[in-house]
Amino acid sequence: SQFAAGSGGIWNAGLSLGSANQVAKVNAAGNALEFGTISSDFVKLATFQQLTSVNEVSIDGYFTSDYDTYIYEMVNLGDSSSNKIKIYMNQSGTKVTANNMAWLIQYADLNTSNNSASESYSNSNSDNNIRVGWCKSDMNGGSARLTLHNPLSTTLHKQMRVDGYSEGSSGYHYTVQGGAQFDNTGAISGVTIGGNTTSNTIKFHRVTLYGLKH
């Protein structure tokens, strides 16, 4: 079939034009064109930026039944005290402060002043957050990824994984890998990112939220 150019793009006179934001693609039989949507198995849902220091940032209200796994990509995290960055679960839009979290993290550190390295682990069977790193206040401190599964389930405990790399104070660098379980069957509505204590502040260059279908 011959295509004709027009102000709205290209079309085949034998096809309907389709709907807004659809794309032209080859049909399943491989013998003609049709209009359809691009696969949405892995989708960027939102991007956030916090360039000024605040006590904490809540990212809430983006979970839907379309996805059962969510990934938070965090870039250039910074903390006012060059200390721990922590992530809390939200329920009904509010940060959970009850000790419903069990977590286990393996971490390694490098002291650049003498090129020495060590590794260790940290754990808790009763906490209200999971750590993602130790960060400097200039937002060059660290990056991290949080993967959260089944946040809307009302029958399952919520499991998550975290990994990150960060630059702390006094020439220290850290890697973090670990996981956690939120021992509560209530639905999760989002997360809150905060500093080590209520007196610390946090900022970041970018946090991007992705949804994954299974």
Side-chain angles (χ1 to χ4, degrees), residues 33-81:
L33 291 175
E34 64 183 9
F35 288 95
T37 57
I38 299 175
S39 173
S40 59
D41 292 342
F42 192 121
V43 173
K44 182 173 75 172
L45 301 176
T47 300
F48 310 89
Q49 193 173 59
Q50 184 64 49
L51 299 180
T52 58
S53 296
V54 294
N55 182 248
E56 58 188 22
V57 177
S58 177
I59 301 175
D60 201 271
Y62 291 90
F63 299 155
T64 70
S65 59
D66 292 335
Y67 309 98
D68 43 25
T69 295
Y70 293 84
I71 295 177
Y72 295 85
E73 286 283 356
M74 295 165 272
V75 179
N76 289 359
L77 294 164
D79 175 60
S80 63
S81 64

Short mmCIF file of all heavy atoms in Angstrom, two decimals, residues 33-81:
data_model
loop_
_atom_site.label_atom_id
_atom_site.label_comp_id
_atom_site.label_asym_id
_atom_site.label_seq_id
_atom_site.Cartn_x
_atom_site.Cartn_y
_atom_site.Cartn_z
N LEU A 33 0.04 -3.33 8.56
CA LEU A 33 0.23 -2.39 9.65
C LEU A 33 -1.06 -2.23 10.44
O LEU A 33 -2.16 -2.39 9.92
CB LEU A 33 0.67 -1.03 9.11
CG LEU A 33 2.07 -0.92 8.49
CD1 LEU A 33 2.27 0.47 7.92
CD2 LEU A 33 3.13 -1.23 9.53
N GLU A 34 -0.89 -1.88 11.72
CA GLU A 34 -2.03 -1.55 12.56
C GLU A 34 -1.56 -0.55 13.60
O GLU A 34 -0.37 -0.35 13.80
CB GLU A 34 -2.59 -2.80 13.25
CG GLU A 34 -1.61 -3.46 14.22
CD GLU A 34 -2.17 -4.72 14.83
OE1 GLU A 34 -3.24 -5.19 14.37
OE2 GLU A 34 -1.55 -5.25 15.77
N PHE A 35 -2.52 0.10 14.25
CA PHE A 35 -2.18 1.02 15.32
C PHE A 35 -2.36 0.32 16.66
O PHE A 35 -3.26 -0.49 16.84
CB PHE A 35 -3.08 2.27 15.27
CG PHE A 35 -2.74 3.18 14.12
CD1 PHE A 35 -3.43 3.09 12.92
CD2 PHE A 35 -1.71 4.10 14.24
CE1 PHE A 35 -3.11 3.93 11.86
CE2 PHE A 35 -1.40 4.93 13.19
CZ PHE A 35 -2.09 4.85 11.99
N GLY A 36 -1.47 0.62 17.62
CA GLY A 36 -1.56 0.02 18.94
C GLY A 36 -0.70 0.77 19.93
O GLY A 36 -0.03 1.75 19.59
N THR A 37 -0.71 0.31 21.16
CA THR A 37 0.07 0.95 22.22
C THR A 37 1.39 0.22 22.40
O THR A 37 1.51 -0.98 22.13
CB THR A 37 -0.71 0.93 23.55
OG1 THR A 37 -1.04 -0.44 23.88
CG2 THR A 37 -1.98 1.73 23.45
N ILE A 38 2.39 0.94 22.87
CA ILE A 38 3.69 0.36 23.18
C ILE A 38 3.57 -0.45 24.47
O ILE A 38 2.83 -0.09 25.38
CB ILE A 38 4.74 1.46 23.32
CG1 ILE A 38 4.87 2.24 22.01
CG2 ILE A 38 6.10 0.90 23.72
CD1 ILE A 38 5.80 3.43 22.10
N SER A 39 4.30 -1.55 24.54
CA SER A 39 4.28 -2.39 25.73
C SER A 39 4.61 -1.57 26.98
O SER A 39 5.54 -0.75 26.97
CB SER A 39 5.30 -3.52 25.60
OG SER A 39 5.41 -4.24 26.81
N SER A 40 3.86 -1.79 28.03
CA SER A 40 4.06 -1.02 29.27
C SER A 40 4.45 -1.93 30.42
O SER A 40 4.01 -1.75 31.55
CB SER A 40 2.77 -0.25 29.62
OG SER A 40 1.69 -1.16 29.79
N ASP A 41 5.28 -2.94 30.14
CA ASP A 41 5.71 -3.86 31.19
C ASP A 41 6.69 -3.21 32.15
O ASP A 41 6.80 -3.60 33.30
CB ASP A 41 6.35 -5.11 30.58
CG ASP A 41 5.34 -5.96 29.82
OD1 ASP A 41 4.13 -5.77 30.05
OD2 ASP A 41 5.75 -6.80 29.01
N PHE A 42 7.44 -2.22 31.69
CA PHE A 42 8.41 -1.49 32.52
C PHE A 42 8.23 -0.02 32.20
O PHE A 42 8.58 0.43 31.12
CB PHE A 42 9.83 -1.95 32.18
CG PHE A 42 10.88 -1.50 33.15
CD1 PHE A 42 11.68 -2.40 33.82
CD2 PHE A 42 11.09 -0.15 33.40
CE1 PHE A 42 12.67 -1.98 34.71
CE2 PHE A 42 12.06 0.29 34.29
CZ PHE A 42 12.85 -0.63 34.94
N VAL A 43 7.68 0.74 33.15
CA VAL A 43 7.26 2.12 32.86
C VAL A 43 7.79 3.08 33.91
O VAL A 43 7.75 2.80 35.11
CB VAL A 43 5.72 2.21 32.80
CG1 VAL A 43 5.27 3.65 32.67
CG2 VAL A 43 5.19 1.40 31.64
N LYS A 44 8.30 4.23 33.44
CA LYS A 44 8.64 5.31 34.37
C LYS A 44 7.36 6.00 34.79
O LYS A 44 6.63 6.54 33.97
CB LYS A 44 9.59 6.30 33.71
CG LYS A 44 10.03 7.42 34.65
CD LYS A 44 11.09 8.30 34.04
CE LYS A 44 10.52 9.23 33.01
NZ LYS A 44 11.52 10.22 32.54
N LEU A 45 7.09 6.00 36.09
CA LEU A 45 5.84 6.55 36.61
C LEU A 45 5.98 8.00 37.05
O LEU A 45 5.04 8.78 36.91
CB LEU A 45 5.36 5.71 37.79
CG LEU A 45 5.10 4.22 37.49
CD1 LEU A 45 4.71 3.49 38.76
CD2 LEU A 45 4.03 4.07 36.42
N ALA A 46 7.13 8.37 37.59
CA ALA A 46 7.30 9.73 38.09
C ALA A 46 8.77 10.00 38.39
O ALA A 46 9.54 9.07 38.63
CB ALA A 46 6.47 9.95 39.35
N THR A 47 9.14 11.29 38.36
CA THR A 47 10.49 11.72 38.73
C THR A 47 10.38 12.87 39.72
O THR A 47 9.54 13.76 39.55
CB THR A 47 11.29 12.17 37.49
OG1 THR A 47 11.39 11.08 36.58
CG2 THR A 47 12.69 12.60 37.88
N PHE A 48 11.24 12.86 40.73
CA PHE A 48 11.18 13.85 41.79
C PHE A 48 12.57 14.46 41.98
O PHE A 48 13.59 13.81 41.76
CB PHE A 48 10.73 13.22 43.11
CG PHE A 48 9.49 12.39 42.97
CD1 PHE A 48 9.58 11.04 42.66
CD2 PHE A 48 8.24 12.94 43.15
CE1 PHE A 48 8.43 10.26 42.52
CE2 PHE A 48 7.10 12.19 43.02
CZ PHE A 48 7.19 10.84 42.70
N GLN A 49 12.60 15.71 42.43
CA GLN A 49 13.86 16.41 42.71
C GLN A 49 13.68 17.23 43.98
O GLN A 49 12.65 17.86 44.19
CB GLN A 49 14.23 17.30 41.53
CG GLN A 49 15.65 17.83 41.57
CD GLN A 49 16.00 18.57 40.29
OE1 GLN A 49 15.35 19.54 39.93
NE2 GLN A 49 17.03 18.10 39.59
N GLN A 50 14.72 17.18 44.82
CA GLN A 50 14.70 17.96 46.06
C GLN A 50 16.07 18.58 46.25
O GLN A 50 16.99 17.97 46.79
CB GLN A 50 14.34 17.07 47.25
CG GLN A 50 14.22 17.81 48.58
CD GLN A 50 13.08 18.82 48.57
OE1 GLN A 50 11.97 18.49 48.18
NE2 GLN A 50 13.36 20.03 49.00
N LEU A 51 16.25 19.82 45.75
CA LEU A 51 17.56 20.45 45.73
C LEU A 51 17.84 21.26 46.98
O LEU A 51 18.98 21.66 47.21
CB LEU A 51 17.70 21.34 44.49
CG LEU A 51 17.57 20.62 43.14
CD1 LEU A 51 17.73 21.61 42.00
CD2 LEU A 51 18.58 19.48 43.02
N THR A 52 16.83 21.54 47.77
CA THR A 52 17.03 22.23 49.04
C THR A 52 16.82 21.25 50.19
O THR A 52 16.10 20.26 50.05
CB THR A 52 16.06 23.41 49.18
OG1 THR A 52 14.70 22.93 49.09
CG2 THR A 52 16.30 24.44 48.10
N SER A 53 17.44 21.54 51.31
CA SER A 53 17.40 20.62 52.44
C SER A 53 16.04 20.64 53.14
O SER A 53 15.52 21.70 53.47
CB SER A 53 18.50 20.98 53.44
OG SER A 53 19.77 20.80 52.87
N VAL A 54 15.49 19.45 53.36
CA VAL A 54 14.25 19.29 54.11
C VAL A 54 14.43 18.12 55.08
O VAL A 54 15.36 17.33 54.95
CB VAL A 54 13.04 19.02 53.19
CG1 VAL A 54 12.74 20.23 52.31
CG2 VAL A 54 13.27 17.78 52.33
N ASN A 55 13.54 18.02 56.03
CA ASN A 55 13.66 16.95 57.02
C ASN A 55 13.43 15.58 56.39
O ASN A 55 14.14 14.62 56.69
CB ASN A 55 12.68 17.19 58.16
CG ASN A 55 12.81 16.13 59.24
OD1 ASN A 55 11.91 15.32 59.43
ND2 ASN A 55 13.93 16.12 59.95
N GLU A 56 12.46 15.48 55.50
CA GLU A 56 12.17 14.22 54.82
C GLU A 56 11.30 14.50 53.60
O GLU A 56 10.72 15.57 53.46
CB GLU A 56 11.46 13.23 55.76
CG GLU A 56 10.17 13.74 56.33
CD GLU A 56 9.59 12.83 57.40
OE1 GLU A 56 10.37 12.05 58.00
OE2 GLU A 56 8.38 12.90 57.65
N VAL A 57 11.24 13.52 52.71
CA VAL A 57 10.45 13.64 51.48
C VAL A 57 9.55 12.42 51.36
O VAL A 57 10.03 11.28 51.42
CB VAL A 57 11.36 13.75 50.24
CG1 VAL A 57 10.51 13.79 48.97
CG2 VAL A 57 12.25 14.97 50.32
N SER A 58 8.27 12.64 51.19
CA SER A 58 7.30 11.56 51.00
C SER A 58 6.97 11.43 49.52
O SER A 58 6.66 12.42 48.85
CB SER A 58 6.02 11.83 51.79
OG SER A 58 5.06 10.80 51.55
N ILE A 59 7.07 10.22 48.99
CA ILE A 59 6.69 9.91 47.61
C ILE A 59 5.53 8.93 47.70
O ILE A 59 5.73 7.75 48.00
CB ILE A 59 7.87 9.33 46.82
CG1 ILE A 59 9.03 10.33 46.79
CG2 ILE A 59 7.44 8.96 45.40
CD1 ILE A 59 10.28 9.80 46.15
N ASP A 60 4.34 9.40 47.45
CA ASP A 60 3.15 8.63 47.81
C ASP A 60 2.08 8.71 46.72
O ASP A 60 2.01 9.69 45.97
CB ASP A 60 2.58 9.17 49.13
CG ASP A 60 1.69 8.17 49.83
OD1 ASP A 60 0.48 8.15 49.55
OD2 ASP A 60 2.22 7.39 50.64
N GLY A 61 1.26 7.65 46.64
CA GLY A 61 0.08 7.67 45.80
C GLY A 61 0.28 7.20 44.38
O GLY A 61 -0.59 7.45 43.53
N TYR A 62 1.39 6.51 44.08
CA TYR A 62 1.67 6.08 42.71
C TYR A 62 1.47 4.59 42.48
O TYR A 62 1.62 4.12 41.36
CB TYR A 62 3.10 6.47 42.32
CG TYR A 62 3.27 7.95 42.17
CD1 TYR A 62 3.65 8.74 43.26
CD2 TYR A 62 3.04 8.59 40.95
CE1 TYR A 62 3.80 10.11 43.13
CE2 TYR A 62 3.18 9.96 40.81
CZ TYR A 62 3.57 10.70 41.91
OH TYR A 62 3.71 12.07 41.79
N PHE A 63 1.15 3.83 43.52
CA PHE A 63 0.97 2.40 43.36
C PHE A 63 -0.43 2.11 42.83
O PHE A 63 -1.42 2.67 43.31
CB PHE A 63 1.15 1.67 44.70
CG PHE A 63 2.52 1.83 45.29
CD1 PHE A 63 2.71 1.70 46.66
CD2 PHE A 63 3.62 2.12 44.50
CE1 PHE A 63 3.96 1.85 47.23
CE2 PHE A 63 4.88 2.26 45.05
CZ PHE A 63 5.05 2.13 46.43
N THR A 64 -0.50 1.22 41.84
CA THR A 64 -1.77 0.78 41.27
C THR A 64 -1.73 -0.73 41.06
O THR A 64 -0.66 -1.36 41.16
CB THR A 64 -2.07 1.47 39.93
OG1 THR A 64 -1.16 0.96 38.93
CG2 THR A 64 -1.94 2.98 40.04
N SER A 65 -2.87 -1.29 40.71
CA SER A 65 -2.94 -2.73 40.44
C SER A 65 -2.27 -3.10 39.12
O SER A 65 -2.13 -4.29 38.82
CB SER A 65 -4.41 -3.17 40.42
OG SER A 65 -5.13 -2.46 39.42
N ASP A 66 -1.82 -2.12 38.34
CA ASP A 66 -1.15 -2.42 37.07
C ASP A 66 0.21 -3.08 37.28
O ASP A 66 0.70 -3.79 36.41
CB ASP A 66 -0.95 -1.13 36.26
CG ASP A 66 -2.25 -0.55 35.77
OD1 ASP A 66 -3.23 -1.32 35.61
OD2 ASP A 66 -2.31 0.67 35.56
N TYR A 67 0.85 -2.82 38.41
CA TYR A 67 2.21 -3.31 38.66
C TYR A 67 2.28 -3.96 40.03
O TYR A 67 1.58 -3.56 40.96
CB TYR A 67 3.22 -2.17 38.58
CG TYR A 67 3.08 -1.35 37.32
CD1 TYR A 67 2.38 -0.15 37.33
CD2 TYR A 67 3.63 -1.78 36.12
CE1 TYR A 67 2.23 0.60 36.17
CE2 TYR A 67 3.48 -1.05 34.96
CZ TYR A 67 2.78 0.14 34.99
OH TYR A 67 2.62 0.88 33.84
N ASP A 68 3.16 -4.96 40.16
CA ASP A 68 3.35 -5.56 41.48
C ASP A 68 4.77 -5.43 41.99
O ASP A 68 5.08 -5.86 43.10
CB ASP A 68 2.92 -7.04 41.50
CG ASP A 68 3.39 -7.81 40.29
OD1 ASP A 68 4.39 -7.41 39.68
OD2 ASP A 68 2.75 -8.82 39.96
N THR A 69 5.66 -4.80 41.21
CA THR A 69 7.01 -4.49 41.66
C THR A 69 7.32 -3.05 41.28
O THR A 69 7.01 -2.61 40.17
CB THR A 69 8.04 -5.44 41.02
OG1 THR A 69 7.80 -6.77 41.47
CG2 THR A 69 9.46 -5.03 41.42
N TYR A 70 7.95 -2.32 42.21
CA TYR A 70 8.30 -0.92 41.98
C TYR A 70 9.78 -0.71 42.31
O TYR A 70 10.30 -1.30 43.26
CB TYR A 70 7.44 0.00 42.85
CG TYR A 70 5.99 -0.02 42.45
CD1 TYR A 70 5.12 -1.00 42.93
CD2 TYR A 70 5.47 0.93 41.57
CE1 TYR A 70 3.79 -1.04 42.56
CE2 TYR A 70 4.13 0.91 41.20
CZ TYR A 70 3.29 -0.09 41.69
OH TYR A 70 1.99 -0.12 41.32
N ILE A 71 10.44 0.11 41.50
CA ILE A 71 11.85 0.41 41.69
C ILE A 71 12.03 1.92 41.87
O ILE A 71 11.54 2.71 41.05
CB ILE A 71 12.69 -0.07 40.50
CG1 ILE A 71 12.64 -1.60 40.40
CG2 ILE A 71 14.15 0.39 40.65
CD1 ILE A 71 13.38 -2.15 39.20
N TYR A 72 12.72 2.30 42.93
CA TYR A 72 13.11 3.69 43.16
C TYR A 72 14.60 3.82 42.85
O TYR A 72 15.43 3.18 43.50
CB TYR A 72 12.88 4.10 44.61
CG TYR A 72 11.44 4.11 45.04
CD1 TYR A 72 10.81 2.94 45.48
CD2 TYR A 72 10.69 5.29 45.03
CE1 TYR A 72 9.49 2.95 45.89
CE2 TYR A 72 9.37 5.31 45.45
CZ TYR A 72 8.78 4.13 45.87
OH TYR A 72 7.46 4.14 46.28
N GLU A 73 14.93 4.63 41.84
CA GLU A 73 16.32 4.92 41.52
C GLU A 73 16.65 6.29 42.11
O GLU A 73 16.08 7.31 41.70
CB GLU A 73 16.55 4.93 40.01
CG GLU A 73 16.55 3.55 39.38
CD GLU A 73 17.84 2.79 39.62
OE1 GLU A 73 18.78 3.36 40.22
OE2 GLU A 73 17.92 1.61 39.20
N MET A 74 17.59 6.33 43.05
CA MET A 74 17.93 7.56 43.78
C MET A 74 19.33 8.00 43.40
O MET A 74 20.28 7.22 43.52
CB MET A 74 17.82 7.31 45.28
CG MET A 74 16.39 7.02 45.73
SD MET A 74 16.28 6.30 47.39
CE MET A 74 16.44 4.55 46.99
N VAL A 75 19.48 9.24 42.94
CA VAL A 75 20.75 9.75 42.44
C VAL A 75 21.18 10.97 43.24
O VAL A 75 20.39 11.90 43.46
CB VAL A 75 20.64 10.11 40.94
CG1 VAL A 75 21.97 10.68 40.43
CG2 VAL A 75 20.23 8.89 40.12
N ASN A 76 22.45 10.97 43.66
CA ASN A 76 23.04 12.10 44.40
C ASN A 76 22.24 12.44 45.66
O ASN A 76 21.74 13.55 45.83
CB ASN A 76 23.18 13.33 43.50
CG ASN A 76 24.27 13.17 42.46
OD1 ASN A 76 24.94 12.15 42.42
ND2 ASN A 76 24.42 14.16 41.61
N LEU A 77 22.16 11.46 46.54
CA LEU A 77 21.53 11.68 47.83
C LEU A 77 22.48 12.46 48.73
O LEU A 77 23.69 12.24 48.72
CB LEU A 77 21.22 10.34 48.50
CG LEU A 77 20.17 9.45 47.82
CD1 LEU A 77 20.26 8.03 48.36
CD2 LEU A 77 18.78 10.01 48.06
N GLY A 78 21.95 13.36 49.53
CA GLY A 78 22.76 14.11 50.47
C GLY A 78 22.07 14.24 51.81
O GLY A 78 20.84 14.33 51.88
N ASP A 79 22.86 14.22 52.88
CA ASP A 79 22.31 14.33 54.23
C ASP A 79 23.11 15.38 54.99
O ASP A 79 24.32 15.49 54.83
CB ASP A 79 22.40 12.97 54.93
CG ASP A 79 21.96 13.05 56.37
OD1 ASP A 79 20.80 13.44 56.60
OD2 ASP A 79 22.76 12.74 57.26
N SER A 80 22.44 16.14 55.83
CA SER A 80 23.07 17.28 56.49
C SER A 80 24.19 16.88 57.44
O SER A 80 25.09 17.66 57.71
CB SER A 80 22.02 18.06 57.28
OG SER A 80 21.46 17.25 58.30
N SER A 81 24.17 15.67 57.94
CA SER A 81 25.17 15.26 58.93
C SER A 81 26.13 14.22 58.40
O SER A 81 26.86 13.60 59.17
CB SER A 81 24.46 14.71 60.18
OG SER A 81 23.74 13.54 59.83
#
